Amino acid sequence: MYCVIIGGGKVGFHLSLILQAQGHEVTVIEKDTAKLERLERELGEAAVHGDGSRPSVLESAGCRRADVVVAVTGDDAVNLLISQIAAKIFGVQRTMARLNSPRNRRIFAALGVEGTVSSTAIIADLIGREVATREIHTLLSFKSGEITIVEIDLPKSAPVAGKSLRDIELPQGALLVSVLRGAEVILPTGATILAADDRLIALCSHATEAALRTAVLGA
Amino acid sequence: MRIIVVGCGRMGAHLAQVLVGKGQDVCVVDDDPGAFDRLRSDFPGRIVIGTGIDEDVLGDAGAGEPDTALLAVTSDDATNFMVGEVARHLFGITRIGVRINDPELEPLIVDAGLHPINVPALVARHISKLTDPDNRGA
């Protein structure tokens, strides 16, 4: 699949890593040159500089042949505009957008923008259910929250700290995508040894989130 | 007819003054309370403080009332487009002008059933008239 992602912040960056790890071709468009430098370091040629809300920029990023366009900037109006350019000008079949404010949900739905994800609503929902979310954060979720990308900060007490991945049993349906250690991004293999203060990025289904938490952070 | 003007920058404020001068019922929306200082102190229209992309804010401005037109003229193209789409899809307004500073967006605005106010193109057309031999001295 060819995926074009607009917005190379935290969400866009991790989403790119995940999609690349799954073997998809990815282009990330970012207009801020400071953010772009980091993206280029980690993603190489997949990172492109430009204003993704301009049709010409989307076109040169190959939007016409994209299977999916995902707009994940911090500005809902920009995300909506991009999704409409992709769908109506370039005929992209699947357009997804990040919803920063749950208040905007109705217009996104009215325009048929798929998989709108409001991290604000998800976090509010978690807090509402009084779930301990201190070390685990939802970065993005798909299919109305069924599949989520989570970020886990490993405390010193974590049972997995000091263990190699091949010795750690993760629940079925959870996939560790990357390990962030200081400025370093590690694409994990079985030999990767986790350490305290690592930040783990994982993909999991909503149903396995609790099991993943227990496996990584302990009961 | 009621006209909602979203964005009280230099263009929005000027536009609102012109419209009330023509006897129109005008409501101006801007999320910056200080923006309304651009209106004359005797401005007879209404003002609503809030972001025009918000359904409730447009509702307060009278978007749900019959015979309403809307002009989205903030300096941000994406905001104007979203305001236009909210007005069209959530309130059923049919006369909607959307200011764009990027001419590339015009086809999308037209496709969405909105009326583009393509500022660079309009200004360029106006200026080019100055060099038109038929208009010399105009």
Side-chain angles (χ1 to χ4, degrees):
Chain A
M1 240 182 19
Y2 180 45
C3 314
V4 177
I5 297 169
I6 300 91
K10 213 172 178 184
V11 174
F13 172 60
H14 292 302
L15 182 59
S16 308
L17 284 180
I18 288 164
L19 291 169
Q20 279 189 340
Q22 290 175 342
H24 299 299
E25 183 190 357
V26 175
T27 294
V28 197
I29 305 173
E30 170 59 49
K31 70 175 173 186
D32 182 285
T33 45
K35 278 188 193 164
L36 188 78
E37 269 177 39
R38 179 191 168 190
L39 287 172
E40 279 175 334
R41 256 198 323 273
E42 309 295 349
L43 300 169
E45 287 179 358
V48 170
H49 183 239
D51 177 354
S53 65
R54 301 205 69 195
S56 56
V57 171
L58 290 173
E59 180 156 34
S60 39
C63 227
R64 265 186 215 286
R65 66 176 182 90
D67 299 292
V68 54
V69 168
V70 192
V72 291
T73 77
D75 183 330
D76 283 351
V78 168
N79 292 344
L80 186 74
L81 177 62
I82 291 167
S83 70
Q84 295 302 290
I85 293 170
K88 292 188 171 165
I89 297 186
F90 299 122
V92 176
Q93 293 296 314
R94 296 189 63 191
T95 59
M96 300 173 70
R98 174 181 175 191
L99 194 55
N100 297 281
S101 165
R103 295 183 66 81
N104 297 325
R105 184 178 292 280
R106 248 166 58 87
I107 186 63
F108 277 62
L111 291 176
V113 184
E114 190 197 336
T116 55
V117 175
S118 162
S119 35
T120 317
I122 290 164
I123 291 165
D125 181 47
L126 288 173
I127 293 168
R129 286 188 286 157
E130 293 179 54
V131 174
T133 59
R134 207 163 53 83
E135 306 100 337
I136 181 162
H137 299 285
T138 302
L139 291 181
L140 191 67
S141 87
F142 302 95
K143 300 196 173 190
S144 313
E146 225 175 283
I147 305 284
T148 56
I149 298 168
V150 297
E151 178 184 86
I152 307 165
D153 287 330
L154 280 194
K156 290 190 173 49
S157 62
V160 294
K163 285 191 183 171
S164 66
L165 278 179
R166 70 169 66 88
D167 297 328
I168 298 168
E169 209 166 313
L170 291 180
Q172 279 280 321
L175 175 70
L176 185 61
V177 182
S178 62
V179 177
L180 310 184
R181 185 171 294 160
E184 196 186 353
V185 179
I186 302 163
L187 295 177
T189 64
T192 306
I193 296 170
L194 298 181
D197 299 326
D198 278 354
R199 175 168 286 182
L200 313 183
I201 308 295
L203 181 73
C204 68
S205 67
H206 185 67
T208 56
E209 202 178 304
L212 177 67
R213 183 201 311 276
T214 311
V216 173
L217 297 172
Chain B
M1 183 170 64
R2 169 192 298 271
I3 302 175
I4 300 171
V5 175
V6 177
C8 196
R10 282 188 294 262
M11 180 184 280
H14 191 79
L15 179 64
Q17 292 291 167
V18 169
L19 293 172
V20 295
K22 290 182 170 182
Q24 303 276 17
D25 176 10
V26 175
C27 180
V28 188
V29 178
D30 201 294
D31 58 0
D32 171 18
F36 301 106
D37 294 345
R38 295 190 179 94
L39 296 168
R40 283 208 294 266
S41 55
D42 62 350
F43 180 71
R46 278 210 309 136
I47 61 166
V48 170
I49 301 168
T51 173
I53 61 174
D54 191 297
E55 201 181 335
D56 293 344
V57 171
L58 287 191
D60 285 347
E65 285 162 41
D67 199 26
T68 297
L70 180 139
L71 301 168
V73 293
T74 77
S75 57
D76 184 71
D77 290 359
T79 297
N80 293 339
F81 173 71
M82 185 162 169
V83 170
E85 291 287 42
V86 170
R88 180 156 175 76
H89 289 273
L90 303 186
F91 290 99
I93 297 177
T94 51
R95 301 179 67 176
I96 301 167
V98 172
R99 172 186 172 187
I100 47 171
N101 298 307
D102 183 354
E104 283 186 16
L105 295 175
E106 179 156 343
L108 178 74
I109 306 293
V110 173
D111 187 78
L114 307 169
H115 186 86
I117 304 167
N118 185 338
V119 175
L122 290 172
V123 173
R125 201 176 307 147
H126 188 76
I127 293 172
S128 70
K129 282 184 187 162
L130 298 176
T131 57
D132 187 333
D134 298 336
N135 281 322
R136 198 164 290 163

